[in-house]
Amino acid sequence: MSMAGYETIIGLEVHCELKTETKLFCGCRNAFGDEPNTNVCPVCVGLPGSLPVLNQKAVEFAIRIGLALNCEVKWSNFHRKNYFYPDMPKDFQISQYDLPLNEHGTIELPDGTVVGITRAHMEEDTGKSTHLGGSGRIHGADASLIDYNRSGVPLVEIVSEPDMRSGVQARAYVAELRAILVAVGATDGRMEEGSMRVDANVSVRKPGDPFGTRCEIKNLNSLRSLQRAIEYEALRQVDCIEAGERIVQETRHWDEAAGRTGSMRSKEEANDYRYFPEPDLVPLAPSAAWIEEIRSALPALPKARRQVLVGLIGNDDQATLDLIATVVDRDLDALVVEAASAGAPAQLAVTRAANELNAEGVLPSAKSFATTCQMEASGALSATQAKAVLAALSETPDADPKAIAASLGFEQLSEDTLSTTVDEVISANGDEWARFAGGDDKLAQFFIGKVMAATKGKANGKAVISLLNERRSG
Amino acid sequence: MTTAHDVAAQVRSGHTTAREVLEQSFAAIAERNQELNAFLYLDHDGARAAATAVDDVVAAGQDPGPLAGVPIGIKDNLAMRGIPTTCGSKILDGWKPPYTATVVERLLAAGAVPVGKTNLDEFAMGSSTENSAFGPSRNPHDVTKVPGGSSGGSAVAVAAGFVPVSLGSDTGGSIRQPAAFCGLVGYKPSYGHVSRYGLVAFSSSLDQVGPFTTTVADAALVTQVIGGHDPADSTSMPDGYDDLLAACGRGVAGLKVGLCRDLLDGADAEIIERVRQAAAVLEAAGAEIVDLSIPELRLGLSAYYLIAPAEASSNLARYDGVRFGLRVEREDVAAMNVATRTAGFGAEVKRRIMLGTYALSAGYYDAYYGQAQKTRRLITNALDAAYEKVDVLLGATTPTTAFGFGDKVADPMSMYLSDLFTIPTNLAGHGAMSVPFGNSASGMPIGVQILSPGRRDDRLFQVGAVLEAGVAK
Amino acid sequence: MSEQSPLTKEEVIHVAGLARLELTDDEVTTFTAQLGSILNHAADISSLDLEGLVPMAHPFDLENILRPDVPTASLDREELLAGAPSVESGRFKVGRILGEAP
Ligand SMILES: [Zn+2]
C-alpha cells in the first residue's frame, strides 16, 4: 500500500456538546453520567403536546464559537430533519439547514495552514442506546435499552471545507478547534466522554484532478483514531483505484482494535430527510448589539495566547512551540506570564509548567512558581530539587519555596564542599578521569552522577561541570 | 344548562355549590352520553375533587376564580396528567400523560371543573368525528346527522347541555364548523393568543385552542382565562389583547363590515339568506356594510391540504411504539414501527401522513410545500388589503348545515370542501368566530362567521354580541 | 377517477415506506387515486406565479424567543416509564436495531 502519486483530501464534521446548565429546548439538566431517564421531561422525550423553547445560553455559546472561528453570525432558523430512529424521541431532529447561525469562517493551524469553516450550526443531541446480547455493539444485539438523558443536549456542528491534506493535519485541526472551543468556555472538549465527536470525509486524487468520491468515517473518538483512520482509509482508496475499482460513496465505521475502516450500512437506503422549517420555533436573529457584546467578552484565543509566550521567550523552535502549545492547552499560560513578570526566566517557566505542573490539581501561586524558577536558574536548586519543590507546592501553593527547599534538606552546598567532593570523586575514579581529561566528553555525565550520589542530589549539575572543566584545563 | 357566567356567579355567591353543579352535569351526561358519544372519558374523581376545592375556597371567603364551579369538557387532544388522552386514536389508547396542558392548568386555577375528555376525529383530522377510533359523536339536534368536526364531541357536550363550556382546537375550522352544525358560539383565537403547550399537535403553525359556549360573553370569559402569553410555547404572543368582555358591550356603530362573496358562494341558499339577515342586523345597529370579494381565499383549500398534512406527517412520526401508547411487537425496531403505525392509525390519518410526506419529499418540496407556503402569504396579503377597507368580514361558516353519517366518507375531497370558508383564517393566523343565527327549514342550526384582522379579536366580540342579540328566533 | 393521477403506485409505496406505514394492495390503489385527486385540486396553486412572495412558515413575525438557562424539574421516572410499552432497568426497551443512525 502506498500513497505515491496521490493526495488525500479531508473535510471534518465535528459535533461539540455545549456546556450549558440545561438542554437546548427544555429545562432538563445537561449532565453526563446520571441515572438513566432522570433528566427528562415531555419535551426531550417527545411526548405528544410538548413544545421546544430555545436556550439563550446555548445560543450565546454557539455565537461565541462562530466568532472565535471568524464566521459571519447571521439570521437563522431551525428545520426539522425527519428520520425514524429509536434514540430520537420525536423521530425528527431539530437542526439548522439552509440558514445556519454561523457561516464562512476560518481556523489557522499552528503550522500556518488556514482551514475554511463552512458553517457552525446548532442542533439537538439524541438519546443513548445500550445494546443487550451479542458483543454490546449494535450488530448482533437482541434488544436495546434507551436512555433519553442526552436527548436534547445542545450541540454545535462545525463543518470544515475539504482543506486538509493529511491525517496529521486533520489531527492538528481538531486539536486546535478543541483548544478554541474550550478557551471560549463553550464545551469541555472531552472526546472520550463523547462531548466532541468527529466524522471525517476522506477522498483521494492525483494532484490537479477533481475531487474523488468521498467516504465518511464515523466513530473517531480520539485524536489518535482520527489520524489512523484517515491514513488507513486513504491507502484503502488508493488501493481500490489502483486495482481498477470504483470508490463507493458510503459511510464507514472505524474499528480501533482492528485498525481499519469497514462499510457500515447493512442496507443502502437513500436518505430523504424532508427538511422543513420547524413550526414550533421562531427564527433566531441575533442583534448586532448582542453579537458585539459577546465578541467583546471573548477571551484571548489559543493562537494569541501562544504568541504571547513566544514573544516572552523570544524563541520559536519546534520543541519550544510544542511546550508552549501544551502550556496553553492546559490553561497554564496565565501563570507563566505572571511568573515571568515576577522575574522568572520565561523559557524555564514554560518548560517546568509544561512538564511539572498538574493543570487538574492545585497550582503554585505565581510568586512561588517564579521564585522556584529563579532559584533553579541561579543554581540555588538543581533541576531535580526544583521539581521536588514544585511537587511540594501542589500541597501548599503559597508556601515560600526557600522554606520548602530547606525543609527538604536542599540547603545549597557551599562552594568548598562541592569542590572537595569533586576532587574526591576524581581521585576515586582515576581511569575515567584520564579518559575525560583526554577529551572524552561523554564521561562528564558519569562524573556528574557520581557527584550527585555523593551529595544526595544537592549538587547543581552546571556547577559540577564547570568545576570538572576547571580541573581538566588546570 | 345555563351559562358559565351564571354558574360562576351562583357558585361565587353561595347560591349553589360547585359539587351540586357538577352532579347535575354528570346526571345529564349519564342520561344521554351513550347515545351522543360526546365524552370518551369522565374523570369523576378528579372533577369532584376540583369542585370540592372550589367550594372550600368559597366557604373560606376567598376568591374561587372567574370560572368558579363551571364544568368544562376538554377535547381529547389536550393533555391532562394521569387522565387517558387518546386523540381519538387507537395508537394512544390507554396512554396517560405525565403532565397537563397549559390551558387546563389555567382553567383549574380559575376554578373551572374539567369533567372529562371529549370525542374528536382522530388527531383532529376530519370534519364529522366519523374518523374517531371510538365511534362518531351524534348531533343532538338530529342524531342522524354528524355534529361536525374535528371537535365534534366538545360541541355535542355543550349543545346537549352536559356542560356550559368546552374546549376544542381549530386547525382549519374544527371549532367553528361543529359550532355552526350544533348551534353554538365557536371561537378560534388569533394564532399565538392561546398556548399550545399540551395540545397534541396536528399542524403546529395552524392549530389554536378555543372555546365552545352558548353565548358570546361566555366565549370572552373563557378566553380571558386560557389566553395570554405562555413561556412554554415559543409561538405564544408576548402580550395579550384587549378586554374581550368589554368588547361584547361596545356595539358596532361606525364599524365597517365586509360582506365577503367568497365566504358565501357555493353555500346553501338558506345559509346565504341568513348571512344577509345578519348583515342587516349589523347595519341596523349602526355598522356600514360593504360588499367585497377576495378571490384569493378560494386558494386556501389547496394551500391548507398541503401545509397541514406536511406538518402532520412530521408531528405524527413520534407514534412509533417506543415510548408510549400502542406497540405491535416485531423482532426489529423498524418493523415494529411499521406494524404499530399501520395498526394504530386510521385511514384518514394515514392519508394525510402520506400526502404530507409526499409534499415534503425530495423533488416535490418546491412544487407543493414551498408553493403552498407562498400561497399562504398571498392569501394573508389579500386579507390584509381587505382590512384596509373594512374592520371585519362576514360570511358563512359552512357551505351546508350538518350532513348525514357516511355522506362524505367515501370521497375525502368532498369532506375537505366543507372547510372552504373556515380555512383562510387559520392560514393567516387571524381570529374568527361562528355565531348561531337561526335554523334551516329542516331545523338544523346555521352559523354566521365573523373574521377579524390578526390580534383584533375584540371586534369579533363586538359583532358577535350584536348578532346574538338580534337573531330572529 | 377519470383524471390522470399525478403520482404513481410506486411513489405511494415509496412514501409509505418513508412514513413507516404498510399498505395493502387495495390501499395502494385507493390512496393513489385519492392522493392524486387532492394533488390535482392543488394544481390551482402549482400553476400560480408567486415569484417574490416570501414563504410563510408562521402567522406572525416573532423572533428570538429564548428562555434562561435555568434547570426545571424532571419527570418522575416511574410515571414516565409507566406509559411505555416495554421497560428494563429504568430504560425504554426495544427490539433489535438494524443499522446505525444516519
Ligand atoms: Zn427535557
Side-chain angles (χ1 to χ4, degrees), chain B residues 81 302 327 333 351 364, chain C residues 11 34 44 79 93 96:
Chain B
R81 184 173 180 181
S302 292
R327 173 185 293 184
V333 178
R351 186 153 42 237
Y364 298 104
Chain C
E11 282 177 306
Q34 289 176 337
D44 62 351
E79 187 179 358
K93 187 176 185 182
R96 183 175 301 164

Side-chain angles (χ1 to χ4, degrees), chain B residues 260-267 293-303 375 379 417 420-421 424, chain C residues 41 44-45:
Chain B
C260 183
R261 197 178 312 144
D262 309 281
L263 298 174
L264 289 172
D265 282 357
S293 172
I294 310 171
E296 290 86 350
L297 300 187
R298 295 267 154 189
L299 302 169
L301 198 69
S302 292
T375 306
I379 291 166
L417 281 164
L420 189 60
F421 300 149
Chain C
H41 187 274
D44 62 351
I45 66 166

Side-chain angles (χ1 to χ4, degrees), chain A residues 391-405:
Chain A
L393 280 171
S394 72
E395 314 277 316
T396 51
D398 292 315
D400 179 0
K402 287 184 181 126
I404 293 177

Side-chain angles (χ1 to χ4, degrees), chain B residues 408-451:
Chain B
K408 296 177 191 279
V409 170
D411 180 7
M413 203 63 229
S414 75
M415 185 75 89
Y416 298 171
L417 281 164
S418 66
D419 300 333
L420 189 60
F421 300 149
T422 46
I423 279 170
T425 37
N426 297 85
L427 291 172
H430 297 170
M433 181 186 285
S434 181
V435 180
F437 206 81
N439 291 340
S440 69
S442 59
M444 292 310 288
I446 288 172
V448 166
Q449 191 183 197
I450 317 155
L451 285 67

Side-chain angles (χ1 to χ4, degrees), chain C residues 17-95:
Chain C
L18 282 175
R20 299 252 157 126
L21 293 170
E22 193 167 45
L23 303 181
T24 63
D25 291 348
D26 282 355
E27 283 173 321
V28 170
T29 306
T30 318
F31 276 8
T32 305
Q34 289 176 337
L35 298 185
S37 152
I38 298 163
L39 293 172
N40 277 330
H41 187 274
D44 62 351
I45 66 166
S46 41
S47 57
L48 293 175
D49 178 10
L50 301 176
E51 197 62 34
L53 281 172
V54 181
M56 184 167 159
H58 286 101
F60 299 107
D61 291 330
L62 285 175
E63 285 180 340
N64 297 329
I65 301 299
L66 302 165
R67 66 177 175 83
D69 186 26
V70 177
T72 52
S74 279
L75 287 172
D76 176 70
R77 183 167 76 176
E78 301 322 308
E79 187 179 358
L80 172 68
L81 295 178
S86 179
V87 164
E88 190 175 310
S89 319
R91 284 172 271 213
F92 295 86
K93 187 176 185 182
V94 294

